[in-house]
C-alpha cells in the first residue's frame, strides 16, 4: 500500500534547522526558523510563564479532558484580549485549538462545510503553511497582490484593486500584524477600506494574528507568550449575532472531534494563570514590551550598519517592517553563498528572522552580505 509514496521533498524551514544543527562552526547564525531569541541566542522562558508553571505544578489536581472547546476560561481571556472594547466582542465565540495552525485548519474546515465552493485569497507572499492548510480542507486558493519587491512595502493600490472584485463566495485571509514573511504591514487607512469593501461586497475576512505584541505593542497590534512548543491557539468566530457565533463554534467543535478531538490543556492553563493574576499579567506585559524593544532595536542597528557599509539607503526597509521577519531580495545564490562561506542560514526566498539575531552579530551579517555582493 505505502510503496507508492515518493520520497518527500522536506519542509524547507525544517530542513534548514537540521543543516544548522549539523554545522560545526561556532560562529554560525540562524536566521531561518521563526522564533524569538534573546541576546544570548536562547528562546527564553518568560518569568511569568515559569511562575505560572510552578503554580500549576503545586495546585493542579487533575489531568482529565476539558472538552472539545478546551479551556473556557482561557477562551474568555483570549477573546477579551483581542476584542475588548469593540462591538464584535458581544457577537463572538471562541474555542481553544492546538496551535495557530490548528485554528486555521478548523476554520478552513468550517468554511468548506458551509461554503464548499469558496475561494480563499492569500497575500503574495504569505505564511508558508497557509496554502496547504486551505487546500487540504478542499478549498480553492488564489493570491492577491501584496508586497512590492522594489519598495519592500505593501502595494496597497494593487491590493485594494483586487480585493474590490471579491464577492460572497470569497474569503480574504489577512495577517493581523507583523506580516509573515515580509514584515510589511497594511496601513490603518487600508484596513478601514477593506472593512468597508467586506461590508459592501460580502466577502469574508479571515484574520490570522500570530505575533501580537511584537510589532508596535500589545494593544496597538490588537499576544505572545513565547510558548512555541506548547502549541496554544484559538479560533474566534465573529458573526452577525451571538447565537450564530455560538452555533458556528459548536460546528467547529464537531469538526474537531473528527481530527484532534481535544486540545492540549497545559499551555492554555499557563496563559489562563497569567491573565487571571494581575502581577503575573503585568510581568508578562513588561517582558513582552522588552522583547518588542529589542527587535525594534535590532532593526535600527541593521539600518545604520547597512547604511554605513553600503553607503546607500537600500536596506532601510528593515526599519519600516514590523515584527520578527523581513523579506529581502536576496537571491538563492547569495543565500547559498552566505551559508557556505559564513555559516549564515536564511530561508530560500530571502526571509530573515530579525528576532533570531544577536546584537553582536549585526555587523557580521551586514559585512557578509555586502562582501557577497548583496
Amino acid at each position: 500500500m505505502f510503496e507508492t509514496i515518493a520520497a518527500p521533498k522536506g519542509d524547507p524551514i525544517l530542513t534548514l534547522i537540521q543543516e544548522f544543527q549539523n554545522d560545526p562552526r561556532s560562529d554560525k547564525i540562524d536566521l531561518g526558523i521563526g522564533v524569538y531569541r534573546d541576546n544570548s541566542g536562547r528562546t527564553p522562558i518568560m518569568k511569568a510563564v515559569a511562575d505560572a508553571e510552578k503554580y500549576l505544578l503545586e495546585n493542579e489536581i487533575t489531568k482529565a479532558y476539558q472538552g472539545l472547546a478546551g479551556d473556557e476560561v482561557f477562551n474568555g481571556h483570549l477573546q477579551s484580549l483581542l476584542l475588548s472594547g469593540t462591538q464584535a466582542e458581544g457577537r463572538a465565540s471562541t474555542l481553544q485549538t492546538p496551535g495557530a495552525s490548528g485554528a486555521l485548519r478548523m476554520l478552513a474546515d468550517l468554511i468548506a462545510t458551509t461554503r464548499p465552493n469558496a475561494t480563499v485569497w492569500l497575500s503574495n507572499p504569505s505564511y508558508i503553511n497557509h496554502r496547504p492548510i486551505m487546500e487540504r480542507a478542499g478549498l480553492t486558493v488564489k493570491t492577491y497582490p501584496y508586497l512590492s519587491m522594489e519598495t519592500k512595502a505593501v502595494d496597497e493600490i494593487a491590493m485594494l484593486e483586487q480585493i474590490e472584485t471579491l464577492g460572497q463566495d470569497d474569503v480574504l485571509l489577512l495577517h493581523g500584524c507583523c506580516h509573515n514573511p515580509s514584515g510589511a504591514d497594511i496601513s490603518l487607512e487600508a484596513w478601514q477600506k477593506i472593512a468597508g469593501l467586506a461590508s459592501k461586497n460580502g466577502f469574508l475576512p479571515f484574520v490570522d494574528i500570530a505575533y501580537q505584541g511584537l510589532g508596535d505593542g500589545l494593544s496597538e497590534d490588537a499576544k505572545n507568550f513565547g510558548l512555541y512548543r506548547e502549541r496554544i491557539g484559538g479560533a474566534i468566530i465573529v458573526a452577525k449575532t451571538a447565537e450564530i457565533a455560538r452555533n458556528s463554534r459548536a460546528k467547529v467543535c464537531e469538526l474537531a472531534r473528527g481530527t484532534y478531538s481535544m486540545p492540549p490543556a497545559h499551555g492554555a492553563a499557563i496563559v489562563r494563570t497569567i491573565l487571571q493574576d494581575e502581577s503575573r499579567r503585568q510581568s508578562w506585559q513588561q517582558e513582552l514590551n522588552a522583547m518588542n524593544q529589542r527587535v525594534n532595536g535590532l532593526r535600527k542597528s541593521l539600518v545604520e550598519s547597512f547604511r554605513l557599509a553600503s553607503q546607500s539607503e537600500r536596506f532601510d526597509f528593515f526599519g519600516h517592517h514590523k515584527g520578527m521577519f523581513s523579506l529581502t531580495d536576496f537571491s538563492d545564490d547569495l543565500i547559498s553563498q552566505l551559508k557556505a562561506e559564513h555559516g549564515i542560514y536564511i530561508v530560500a526566498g530571502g526571509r530573515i528572522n530579525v528576532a533570531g539575531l544577536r546584537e553582536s552579530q549585526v555587523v557580521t551579517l551586514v559585512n557578509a552580505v555586502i562582501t557577497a555582493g548583496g
Side-chain angles (χ1 to χ4, degrees), residues 226-355:
L227 291 165
Y228 301 100
R229 65 173 61 178
E230 302 298 350
R231 307 307 301 145
I232 309 166
I236 302 176
I237 302 164
V238 179
K240 291 182 179 180
T241 67
E243 182 182 8
I244 295 173
R246 288 193 297 270
N247 290 344
S248 300
R249 188 186 93 145
K251 184 62 179 179
V252 177
C253 287
E254 179 185 308
L255 294 167
R257 181 62 171 152
T259 53
Y260 58 80
S261 190
M262 312 279 184
H266 184 64
I270 294 171
V271 175
R272 180 196 69 220
T273 302
I274 292 170
L275 296 180
Q276 279 183 318
D277 182 89
E278 188 58 31
S279 64
R280 293 192 190 100
R281 187 182 184 117
Q282 288 184 6
S283 172
W284 162 64
Q285 289 183 327
Q286 289 170 0
E287 200 159 355
L288 181 59
N289 288 338
M291 291 164 65
N292 172 272
Q293 290 169 10
R294 182 181 123 71
V295 173
N296 288 334
L298 285 166
R299 291 191 173 280
K300 183 179 179 181
S301 294
L302 283 167
V303 170
E304 292 173 349
S305 297
F306 269 119
R307 278 189 178 185
L308 184 63
S310 67
Q311 295 298 300
S312 75
E313 299 177 355
R314 180 188 158 201
F315 299 91
D316 279 13
F317 62 85
F318 280 111
H320 303 314
H321 291 171
K322 303 290 184 182
M324 296 173 61
F325 306 115
S326 276
L327 189 63
T328 69
D329 56 2
F330 295 170
S331 68
D332 287 345
D333 286 342
L334 174 61
I335 291 169
S336 295
Q337 185 178 348
L338 290 173
K339 179 172 67 174
E341 297 180 5
H342 303 278
I344 297 173
Y345 286 74
I346 298 172
V347 180
R351 188 195 77 173
I352 284 181
N353 176 25
V354 177

Side-chain angles (χ1 to χ4, degrees), residues 96-164:
Q96 180 197 342
T97 60
S101 289
L104 289 169
R105 178 55 192 261
M106 287 299 96
L107 292 173
D109 284 348
L110 178 65
I111 293 166
T113 300
T114 56
R115 191 66 62 90
N117 61 332
T119 297
V120 179
W121 292 81
L122 308 180
S123 63
N124 182 21
S126 194
Y127 168 49
I128 193 172
N129 218 16
H130 278 157
R131 178 178 287 274
I133 286 174
M134 299 302 146
E135 289 182 338
R136 286 168 193 170
L139 297 166
T140 299
V141 176
K142 294 183 179 180
T143 61
Y144 59 90
Y146 190 80
L147 186 73
S148 165
M149 287 308 296
E150 182 179 351
T151 65
K152 307 297 187 303
V154 181
D155 186 346
E156 293 188 347
I157 294 175
M159 176 187 72
L160 290 168
E161 284 179 354
Q162 180 65 67
I163 292 174
E164 197 167 6

Side-chain angles (χ1 to χ4, degrees), residues 50-61:
D51 184 61
E53 289 193 301
K54 181 180 178 182
Y55 174 85
L56 289 170
L57 180 64
E58 295 171 351
N59 293 275
E60 196 171 47
I61 59 173

Side-chain angles (χ1 to χ4, degrees), residues 149-225:
M149 287 308 296
E150 182 179 351
T151 65
K152 307 297 187 303
V154 181
D155 186 346
E156 293 188 347
I157 294 175
M159 176 187 72
L160 290 168
E161 284 179 354
Q162 180 65 67
I163 292 174
E164 197 167 6
T165 69
L166 306 188
Q168 293 186 352
D169 288 332
D170 294 305
V171 177
L172 179 65
L173 202 156
L174 300 155
H175 299 231
C177 65
C178 306
H179 185 274
N180 180 3
S182 76
D185 281 357
I186 300 170
S187 69
L188 178 59
E189 181 183 8
W191 275 107
Q192 292 168 337
K193 289 180 179 178
I194 291 169
L197 288 170
S199 178
K200 175 187 173 184
N201 298 342
F203 62 81
L204 178 68
F206 186 163
V207 183
D208 182 3
I209 182 162
Y211 302 104
Q212 183 181 347
L214 289 177
D216 293 316
L218 182 64
S219 60
E220 293 89 345
D221 293 342
K223 170 177 176 215
N224 200 305
F225 290 85

Side-chain angles (χ1 to χ4, degrees), residues 43-105:
T43 298
I45 298 174
M46 286 182 159
K47 294 176 182 177
V49 169
D51 184 61
E53 289 193 301
K54 181 180 178 182
Y55 174 85
L56 289 170
L57 180 64
E58 295 171 351
N59 293 275
E60 196 171 47
I61 59 173
T62 183
K63 292 294 184 183
Y65 289 126
Q66 292 181 302
L68 294 172
D71 187 327
E72 294 287 26
V73 178
F74 164 84
N75 291 338
H77 280 296
L78 181 64
Q79 184 169 307
S80 178
L81 196 61
L82 286 166
L83 299 177
S84 179
T86 70
Q87 293 181 345
E89 186 176 16
R91 48 188 175 87
S93 192
T94 302
L95 72 153
Q96 180 197 342
T97 60
S101 289
L104 289 169
R105 178 55 192 261

